Amino acid sequence: MPSFNQSTAHPIVFFLTGIPGLETSQVWISIPFCCLYAIAISGNSMILFVIITESSLHEPMYYFLSMLSFTDLGLCFSTVVTVLGIFWFNVREISFDACIGQMFFIHGFTFMESSVLLVMAFDRFIAICNPLRYAMILTNSRIIAVGFAIVIRGTTALVPLLLLLKRLSFCHSHVLHHSYCFHPDVMKLSCSDTKINSAFGLATVISTAGLDSVLILLSYVLIIHSVLCIASKVERKKAFGTCVSHLSAVAIFYIPMISLSLVHRFAKHAPPFVHTLVANVYLLIPPVMNPIIYSVKTKQIRKTVLKVFFIKPS
């Protein structure tokens, strides 16, 4: 059933925002966005394809990379309809229930990506600090169990958050500041008391992405300590080299997330287009950059991708 505004008994409809102040140029602005979505979707689909079809890539590291590509595809498909719908057709209306659904997928895939990055850090830790037990620890059955755990963690954390949002009343402006539904943005439009929502939202972020970032940092402290104990400079460089791609993925995931949080909290009086631009960068940069990073920095992925295009790798 559709959700109704308690004060008017009318279905709740929100209005999404394109790029404020540049409404007349939205068709032109859509070109780079369309290109970014095309790069993200084709790049992550290619990574998934080569890992599934190439038997030499059926190893824990690449299974986790396929999980990363899957979450990136999920993020792209969660927003592409509303973002390009605004730019191409000026379709800004979205019902409250559809908004809840979009938030479920956006935040769910975001939490899942954070979990995948943590698992990939653990993978690098085992590979460098305990290589002899690597295959024994990361068996196929355990990798499958980890995959299910990532999905369950990413979705169950959101259910109470969204149920709390549905109890709120919206009797003021229904204009959102982004091209998609974002939990803090929707919550700000409520005329009800949102202290519980804010507290639970903060607790959810801390217990997922916040905890993951701390554990990733701890993993790399242990990795660095282990690598520095290696006598050979060549072996140290090789060990650090295996972490470059993952560290890059961590940076392009957490830096936009932190930037968006800071903009929401401390840049309330910034020009409206700043909020929209940072919000789109937050969701588009990781899916665009991850396939590029792993294709360039990971030799096995690069060779297989080139082989798919019938190009002999050098």
Side-chain angles (χ1 to χ4, degrees):
M1 289 182 63
S3 296
F4 291 86
N5 192 323
Q6 295 178 13
S7 62
T8 62
H10 292 304
I12 301 173
V13 176
F14 292 118
F15 296 90
L16 302 169
T17 301
I19 306 295
L22 299 174
E23 288 81 3
T24 57
S25 305
Q26 284 187 160
V27 174
W28 297 106
I29 295 171
S30 72
I31 296 175
F33 276 93
C34 188
C35 291
L36 289 174
Y37 274 112
I39 292 170
I41 293 171
S42 59
N44 285 289
S45 298
M46 177 60 70
I47 294 290
L48 278 173
F49 176 77
V50 298
I51 291 174
I52 291 170
T53 57
E54 186 63 36
S55 58
S56 63
L57 300 181
H58 292 176
E59 298 177 6
M61 173 183 173
Y62 302 110
Y63 287 141
F64 295 137
L65 176 57
S66 68
M67 294 180 192
L68 185 67
S69 293
F70 175 78
T71 58
D72 282 336
L73 281 173
L75 280 173
C76 287
F77 287 123
S78 297
T79 59
V80 63
V81 173
T82 54
V83 172
L84 295 185
I86 292 170
F87 289 146
W88 287 348
F89 309 109
N90 198 33
V91 178
R92 299 176 56 216
E93 298 87 355
I94 184 169
S95 69
F96 182 70
D97 290 334
C99 196
I100 290 286
Q102 187 178 45
M103 279 188 285
F104 177 82
F105 287 107
I106 290 174
H107 294 294
F109 281 116
T110 299
F111 293 155
M112 280 188 252
E113 180 149 348
S114 176
S115 299
V116 171
L117 291 172
L118 172 59
V119 171
M120 294 175 82
F122 178 74
D123 170 79
R124 292 299 84 208
F125 169 73
I126 298 297
I128 293 172
C129 300
N130 202 349
L132 296 179
R133 298 190 61 199
Y134 181 78
M136 187 186 304
I137 294 172
L138 294 175
T139 61
N140 286 343
S141 60
R142 285 178 178 168
I143 291 171
I144 292 171
V146 166
F148 279 114
I150 288 172
V151 174
I152 292 169
R153 184 194 185 213
T155 53
T156 54
L158 281 173
V159 173
L161 197 66
L162 299 180
L163 288 177
L164 284 171
L165 196 64
K166 286 183 73 70
R167 72 178 181 84
L168 300 179
S169 298
F170 297 89
C171 47
H172 300 311
S173 172
H174 287 184
V175 179
L176 299 170
H177 294 106
H178 303 318
S179 306
Y180 54 84
C181 292
F182 186 60
H183 180 265
D185 196 18
V186 174
M187 191 172 59
K188 285 179 182 178
L189 299 182
S190 174
C191 51
S192 305
D193 185 0
T194 59
K195 290 180 181 177
I196 296 176
N197 298 71
S198 297
F200 198 89
L202 180 61
T204 301
V205 172
I206 291 174
S207 63
T208 52
L211 178 62
D212 292 345
S213 63
V214 172
L215 294 176
I216 289 170
L217 179 61
L218 177 61
S219 297
Y220 273 100
V221 169
L222 297 174
I223 288 171
I224 291 170
H225 178 267
S226 180
V227 171
L228 292 178
C229 292
I230 300 174
S232 170
K233 289 185 178 179
V234 175
E235 291 300 318
R236 285 203 299 266
K237 183 178 179 181
K238 184 179 178 181
F240 278 129
T242 63
C243 300
V244 171
S245 298
H246 179 254
L247 283 171
S248 301
V250 170
I252 64 173
F253 176 78
Y254 280 102
I255 291 175
M257 175 185 284
I258 294 169
S259 300
L260 181 60
S261 299
L262 292 175
V263 165
H264 269 280
R265 188 166 295 274
F266 300 111
K268 295 178 181 178
H269 301 293
F273 72 87
V274 172
H275 292 263
T276 307
L277 184 61
V278 173
N280 283 302
V281 166
Y282 157 65
L283 286 187
L284 266 178
I285 292 302
V288 169
M289 293 303 300
N290 282 335
I292 296 172
I293 289 169
Y294 277 95
S295 296
V296 172
K297 293 293 185 180
T298 308
K299 186 177 180 180
Q300 293 88 336
I301 293 290
R302 185 173 67 251
K303 281 186 174 181
T304 310
V305 169
L306 291 174
K307 187 164 57 175
V308 168
F309 286 105
F310 306 103
I311 301 173
K312 185 178 179 181
S314 56

